[in-house]
Amino acid sequence: MTTPTRLQQEIAERILQMMRDDGLGAGARLNENGTAQRLGVSRTPVRAALDHLARQGVVRRLANKGIEVVALPDATASVLPPELIDLAMVRLAHERENGLLPDEVSELEVMRRYELGRPEAQKLLARLADLDMVERKPGYGWRFLHEPRDRRLRDESYRFRMVIEPMCMLEPDFRLEAGWIGEMRARHLEYLRSPWRESSSIAFYEMNAAFHEDLAAATGNRYFHSAVRRQNQLRRLSNYDWGLGFERVQVNCTEHLAMLDHLEAGENEVASALMRSHLLRASKLRLGPRSAD
């Protein structure tokens, strides 16, 4: 799929807003010349923007009959490929973790900094809010709920995790759901086979977080589970700002897979020891504010 330029994206958003303002629905017709004149731009970027909307299924071109509206998306729907929104999230995480983004931001600032249309900026902020990373301020703007993690906080986090997480697998009521090991193994193997992109860090972290959180949940002890979930929240942005490359992904997945093998064999003591070694090695990586697992 062709990636739209920033200008094409902006014009596509303006065309969508124009269609909403005019109350256009499925079957309505658009004209390139008229649209260009109304928006005050030339036909060339309008044509490219309409082609982008056509690829999204919003409009379609009819031979010698102009452009027909197929389905007008909701005002908050995205017309950018999801990967580009993920890349914006990675950039936001990097700037926040490196002190380049203040504690409070506006929707307009997010649009400007990360070259997003309004629907994409709203979607990005909504995702952060769902993850308890930001909250909407009364009236206007958004506020980050966590401070960027410095070296001291990162070290404290790993020391805490090395005490808690290995012990989860030794709890007397530790029970994994049927099929969990097979599903988690398949997800890790898929990452070892797939090409690594900058935007991959988000989905990879969420899988990684699920691995650790599910092990804590298997204890049946709400305090273990709550503690690990809290750690996942606190380290989310620093891991979105991965910066460690595919080599560290391979190490991470390989060590997780070894734990899964021993858990499947009922060797929880070995899996527990591997978890502590896994966290200890990750804690010794020195890459500024970035984390490793």
Side-chain angles (χ1 to χ4, degrees):
M1 179 180 292
T2 304
T3 300
T5 66
R6 181 181 180 183
L7 176 61
Q8 291 165 7
Q9 167 63 18
E10 289 178 351
I11 293 176
E13 294 293 345
R14 292 174 64 190
I15 292 172
L16 284 173
Q17 190 58 53
M18 182 188 74
M19 293 163 64
R20 294 187 186 101
D21 292 343
D22 291 350
L24 300 184
R29 298 293 178 85
L30 290 175
N31 176 274
E32 272 187 15
N33 283 336
T35 300
Q37 290 174 7
R38 189 164 170 182
L39 297 180
V41 296
S42 67
R43 285 184 60 189
T44 299
V46 167
R47 184 181 300 115
L50 287 168
D51 287 342
H52 172 58
L53 291 174
R55 291 191 294 271
Q56 302 296 318
V58 175
V59 301
R60 65 180 174 184
R61 291 188 178 276
L62 302 175
N64 302 317
K65 295 183 179 180
I67 298 155
E68 181 182 55
V69 177
V70 177
L72 188 61
D74 182 83
T76 60
S78 171
V79 296
L80 269 181
E83 183 180 3
L84 295 188
I85 299 176
D86 283 350
L87 283 170
M89 180 80 84
V90 170
R91 288 175 58 195
L92 179 147
H94 176 78
E95 293 189 1
R96 176 63 181 166
E97 288 300 301
N98 287 278
L100 303 176
L101 199 61
D103 292 340
E104 297 180 358
V105 294
S106 68
E107 185 178 292
L108 287 175
E109 184 175 6
V110 170
M111 292 169 62
R112 177 184 60 79
R113 293 180 77 108
Y114 308 115
E115 300 182 353
L116 298 174
R118 189 176 300 277
E120 288 73 35
Q122 291 173 344
K123 184 174 182 178
L124 187 152
L125 288 165
R127 283 173 61 180
L128 289 172
D130 287 343
L131 294 168
D132 293 324
M133 303 306 298
V134 299
E135 66 178 2
R136 189 185 293 274
K137 294 171 55 184
Y140 182 75
W142 297 78
R143 178 186 297 111
F144 283 96
L145 297 177
H146 310 296
E147 293 292 325
R149 291 212 301 169
D150 59 22
R151 172 59 59 187
R152 180 182 59 82
L153 291 176
R154 181 176 182 273
D155 289 344
E156 288 180 1
S157 171
Y158 273 109
R159 296 305 306 174
F160 177 79
R161 294 177 65 197
M162 281 188 282
V163 171
I164 296 296
E165 295 195 41
M167 296 304 297
C168 289
M169 291 172 272
L170 303 181
E171 280 292 287
D173 293 330
F174 183 85
R175 297 288 185 279
L176 291 168
E177 293 185 6
W180 181 84
I181 289 177
E183 178 186 350
M184 193 58 69
R185 180 183 285 124
R187 292 175 68 182
H188 280 71
L189 290 173
E190 180 63 26
Y191 270 98
L192 290 175
R193 291 191 294 263
S194 300
W196 181 259
R197 301 180 178 87
E198 185 180 2
S199 60
S200 301
S201 62
I202 294 176
F204 176 71
Y205 173 73
E206 296 302 336
M207 180 197 71
N208 177 74
F211 175 86
H212 290 271
E213 189 172 318
D214 290 350
L215 289 175
T219 64
N221 185 316
R222 71 192 69 183
Y223 294 101
F224 278 109
H225 191 200
S226 177
V228 174
R229 287 186 63 189
R230 179 61 174 168
Q231 287 297 307
N232 283 343
Q233 283 185 335
L234 292 174
R235 62 196 185 95
R236 182 166 266 108
L237 281 184
S238 63
N239 276 264
Y240 282 4
D241 180 27
W242 184 250
L244 295 161
F246 185 61
E247 181 178 354
R248 181 61 200 173
V249 173
Q250 292 175 306
V251 171
N252 182 290
C253 287
T254 300
E255 292 180 353
H256 281 193
L257 288 168
M259 284 182 250
L260 291 173
D261 289 343
H262 287 287
L263 287 171
E264 189 171 48
E267 298 168 349
N268 289 32
E269 293 84 358
V270 179
S272 174
L274 289 176
M275 176 64 82
R276 190 178 192 284
S277 297
H278 173 66
L279 295 172
L280 179 61
R281 281 192 288 271
S283 73
K284 293 181 177 178
L285 292 174
R286 292 294 183 241
L287 291 174
R290 295 177 175 182
S291 186
D293 183 18

